[in-house]
Amino acid sequence: MIIELVKDNLEHYMDIENLLVVYNQEGCGACRTLKPHLFELDEKYSVIIVDSFKFPKSCNFLPGGISYYPTIGLFEKGYFIKEINFNDIINKKFK
């Protein structure tokens, strides 16, 4: 499942297991490169794409904030587990 937020309501999805939250920015080339690869991930992952400028409240779930785009966080039922490397998804090293 891949969802692009249309409202600043990431909290409604935080109870999902194996949740990847992709924080991006409109106009980000790396974000555009990443997007098709998200559809190739194992079905056990749910992906929420957050436009960081449009939805700043949803950015508060990532500890330490966002320093670059795309920033990808793995969450388990609302708990931050770790940050996922962009290249690991592109190169299919993230499972």
Side-chain angles (χ1 to χ4, degrees), residues 7 9-10 14-15 17-18 20 24 32-33 35-36 38 42 46 48 50 53-54 62 66-68 70 72 82 88 91:
K7 295 194 300 190
N9 63 346
L10 181 59
M14 292 308 289
D15 63 340
E17 287 186 52
N18 300 313
L20 283 177
N24 69 9
R32 284 193 301 273
T33 299
K35 192 172 182 178
L38 298 174
D42 189 301
S46 296
I48 306 292
V50 178
F53 287 134
K54 289 182 184 174
L62 191 72
I66 299 166
S67 305
Y68 56 89
I72 307 157
K82 64 179 181 177
D88 287 346
N91 298 321

Side-chain angles (χ1 to χ4, degrees), residues 2-59:
I2 297 180
I3 297 172
E4 289 193 57
L5 286 189
V6 293
K7 295 194 300 190
D8 203 356
N9 63 346
L10 181 59
E11 68 274 6
H12 290 116
Y13 301 97
M14 292 308 289
D15 63 340
I16 297 174
E17 287 186 52
N18 300 313
L19 177 65
L20 283 177
V21 179
V22 178
Y23 296 95
N24 69 9
Q25 168 191 349
E26 191 174 323
C28 166
C31 301
R32 284 193 301 273
T33 299
L34 175 66
K35 192 172 182 178
H37 295 278
L38 298 174
F39 290 93
E40 299 171 1
L41 290 172
D42 189 301
E43 290 182 10
K44 73 178 183 178
Y45 293 104
S46 296
V47 179
I48 306 292
I49 300 172
V50 178
D51 184 317
S52 299
F53 287 134
K54 289 182 184 174
F55 307 121
K57 182 178 82 171
S58 293
C59 297

Side-chain angles (χ1 to χ4, degrees), residues 80-91:
F80 176 75
I81 304 301
K82 64 179 181 177
E83 195 169 311
I84 304 299
N85 185 289
F86 165 86
N87 289 318
D88 287 346
I89 291 178
I90 297 292
N91 298 321

